[in-house]
């Protein structure tokens, strides 16, 4: 494909269940890539949809097939509404990540809802989606996928850190892009904030009101995952198996949040070299207490972009992954995922 100018939508749903991020972006290639996010919106999940997605990890095969069809139809409604509301025309493609339910690369299995061929028919647009499956089939982790975008769009920074449901970071090392998941973030913090009647810990206020529990912190820091070498990635299965049993040893939710926030800051800080630039995006960027805790443990130069990039970098980059797929260029890096080789991943569905 010879297009140099790409008018597309990027669509993303994170594991923290904030909602569906949709971004209308222009990507331009003129020796280097540039972008503009024209308009973006996070469409919150209804309580019913959020509950279904949270419980989907427990569903049997028949129920998973059903919720995949249901979610695809739900996603189509949100995309169509966004397109109509904003008067968008001549879109080249809708590049959608879907919503991760299962992520078990060790079992050669990963599943993102909403990646069915029907999506293209329901929105009457070309769809590029399902980026992770091929990488897992090639013995990769299927994650993280964002680092190719970090390299091509945000390569001026030493580290690119995303604070979403999970923290993941990418950087250049010996001419290769390296990246991996560091720890769970908002999937844990939001879980306990709900017990205090809020969907998230606004500004880290709950954590700030709690008392650090050293014994819990030591148990968290001792988990095997943190001592494994990259490539490595995380999913909710790992959180359910490893994180919640430790934190649930105590009843005080404020203390749990205080301890886990400190844990996140420590785990991120140990991956940073001194005096390097750290470009941070994702919903966790608005957790000022977490950022203050991170600053205590590192002297990295923290850089926060404008809010539209903070909130929509992943949607932007999944738009880029879709464009690279249309160009038949590699969008998955073996140095990041551990796959057998770099490759061009994603399924293309036509209406």
């Amino acid at each position: 494909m010879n297009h140099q100018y790409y008018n597309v939508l990027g669509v993303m749903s994170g594991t923290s269940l904030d909602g569906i991020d949709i971004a209308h972006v222009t990507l331009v290639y003129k020796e280097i890539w540039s972008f503009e996010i024209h308009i973006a919106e996070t469409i919150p999940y209804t309580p019913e949809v959020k509950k279904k997605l949270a419980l989907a990890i427990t569903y049997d095969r028949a129920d998973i097939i059903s919720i995949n069809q249901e979610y695809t139809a739900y996603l189509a409604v949100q995309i169509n509404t966004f397109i109509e509301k904003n008067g968008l025309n001549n879109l080249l493609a809708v590049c959608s990540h879907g919503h991760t339910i299962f992520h078990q690369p060790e079992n050669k299995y990963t599943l993102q809802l909403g990646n069915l061929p029907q999506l293209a028919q329901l929105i009457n647009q070309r769809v590029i989606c399902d980026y992770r499956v091929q990488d897992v089939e090639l013995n990769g982790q299927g994650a993280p996928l964002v680092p190719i975008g970090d390299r091509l769009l945000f390569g001026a920074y030493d580290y690119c850190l995303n604070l979403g449901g999970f923290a993941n970071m990418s950087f250049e090392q010996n001419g290769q892009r390296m990246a991996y998941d560091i720890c769970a973030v908002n999937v844990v913090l939001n879980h306990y904030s709900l017990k205090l009647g809020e969907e998230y810990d606004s500004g880290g206020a709950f954590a700030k009101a709690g008392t650090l529990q050293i014994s819990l912190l030591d148990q968290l820091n001792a988990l095997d995952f943190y001592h494994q070498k990259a490539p490595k990635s995380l999913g909710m299965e790992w959180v359910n198996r490893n994180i919640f049993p430790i934190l649930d040893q105590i009843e005080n939710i404020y203390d749990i949040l205080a301890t886990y926030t400190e844990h996140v800051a420590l785990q991120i800080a140990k991956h940073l070299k001194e005096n390097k630039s750290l470009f941070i995006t994702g919903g966790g960027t608005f957790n000022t207490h977490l950022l203050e805790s991170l600053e205590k443990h590192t002297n990295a130069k923290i850089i926060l972009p404008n809010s539209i990039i903070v909130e929509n970098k992943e949607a932007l980059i999944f738009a880029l992954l879709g464009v690279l797929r249309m160009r038949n260029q590699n969008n998955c890096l073996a140095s990041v995922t551990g796959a057998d080789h770099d490759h061009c991943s994603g399924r293309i569905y036509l209406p």
Side-chain angles (χ1 to χ4, degrees):
M1 183 169 286
N2 295 318
H3 292 81
Q4 303 293 300
Y5 174 97
Y6 301 88
N7 179 40
V8 296
L9 292 189
V11 184
M12 172 70 188
S13 171
T15 47
S16 55
L17 292 172
D18 293 339
I20 299 169
D21 297 329
I22 306 180
H24 175 217
V25 306
T26 297
L27 289 154
V28 179
Y29 182 73
K30 293 180 180 177
E31 297 185 358
I32 61 171
W33 285 97
S34 61
F35 70 89
E36 182 177 355
I37 301 176
H38 300 287
I39 189 166
E41 182 179 358
T42 297
I43 301 158
Y45 286 123
T46 65
E48 180 185 11
V49 172
K50 183 178 289 191
K51 183 178 180 180
K52 283 186 177 180
L53 293 176
L55 292 175
I57 197 170
T58 67
Y59 290 176
D60 60 22
R61 181 177 177 83
D63 287 337
I64 286 294
I65 291 172
S66 176
I67 195 176
N68 200 358
Q69 295 170 338
E70 184 180 336
Y71 183 80
T72 300
Y74 177 85
L75 185 60
V77 170
Q78 309 313 317
I79 293 171
N80 281 332
T81 300
F82 182 88
I83 290 172
E84 292 168 11
K85 182 170 68 174
N86 294 296
L88 303 183
N89 297 297
N90 302 316
L91 290 172
L92 186 61
V94 173
C95 311
S96 180
H97 171 268
H99 183 81
T100 298
I101 295 298
F102 298 106
H103 186 63
Q104 303 166 9
E106 68 279 6
N107 297 322
K108 293 285 183 69
Y109 182 55
T110 186
L111 175 66
Q112 287 70 48
L113 301 181
N115 288 335
L116 297 177
Q118 292 94 309
L119 181 61
Q121 299 162 15
L122 291 169
I123 65 174
N124 195 32
Q125 302 282 346
R126 177 194 282 114
V127 169
I128 301 97
C129 62
D130 223 2
Y131 300 102
R132 299 188 187 276
V133 172
Q134 179 173 290
D135 193 78
V136 170
E137 291 172 349
L138 290 171
N139 299 308
Q141 291 285 308
L145 297 180
V146 167
I148 184 69
D150 290 341
R151 168 184 272 181
L152 296 178
L153 300 180
F154 302 102
Y157 306 104
D158 295 313
Y159 296 100
C160 289
L161 173 68
N162 182 67
L163 294 175
F166 297 87
N168 49 68
M169 187 167 67
S170 79
F171 53 94
E172 294 290 325
Q173 181 174 288
N174 300 324
Q176 290 187 312
R177 196 75 189 180
M178 307 299 294
Y180 41 80
D181 284 346
I182 296 174
C183 61
V185 185
N186 290 335
V187 292
V188 175
L189 299 179
N190 293 356
H191 172 83
Y192 289 102
S193 295
L194 281 170
K195 296 178 183 293
L196 295 174
E198 298 292 341
E199 293 198 355
Y200 58 92
D201 186 4
S202 180
F206 292 152
K208 200 168 184 178
T211 300
L212 183 66
Q213 301 296 310
I214 298 299
S215 63
L216 260 62
L217 184 63
D218 290 343
Q219 290 177 62
L220 291 167
N221 290 334
L223 287 169
D224 287 342
F225 178 83
Y226 302 130
H227 305 285
Q228 295 172 11
K229 293 183 178 180
K232 56 183 182 177
S233 60
L234 291 168
M236 277 307 301
E237 299 94 328
W238 181 86
V239 175
N240 291 331
R241 191 169 58 247
N242 293 279
I243 298 296
F244 292 147
I246 292 174
L247 295 177
D248 286 342
Q249 293 177 75
I250 64 171
E251 296 182 0
N252 189 302
I253 304 301
Y254 296 97
D255 291 354
I256 288 174
L257 289 168
T259 302
Y260 196 77
T261 299
E262 180 71 3
H263 168 68
V264 171
L266 284 168
Q267 288 303 321
I268 294 171
K270 75 180 188 180
H271 293 275
L272 302 172
K273 294 182 180 179
E274 293 188 0
N275 298 312
K276 298 293 184 179
S277 56
L278 177 63
F279 182 78
I280 307 180
T281 55
T285 305
F286 299 107
N287 188 327
T288 52
H289 179 62
L290 173 57
L291 294 189
E292 289 167 0
S293 298
L294 179 57
E295 286 182 316
K296 285 192 308 183
H297 299 295
T298 177
N299 65 354
K301 301 170 186 175
I302 292 177
I303 297 164
L304 305 179
N306 61 50
S307 61
I308 196 168
I309 294 177
V310 164
E311 297 180 40
N312 296 284
K313 191 187 92 168
E314 287 195 305
L316 164 68
I317 290 181
F318 280 106
L320 175 64
L321 263 67
V323 168
L324 293 173
R325 174 67 183 89
M326 286 190 287
R327 290 168 61 96
N328 291 314
Q329 294 180 328
N330 289 336
N331 58 8
C332 285
L333 301 175
S335 61
V336 169
T337 69
D340 294 339
H341 52 77
D342 293 350
H343 57 101
C344 182
S345 184
R347 291 187 169 95
I348 300 178
Y349 298 128
L350 300 178

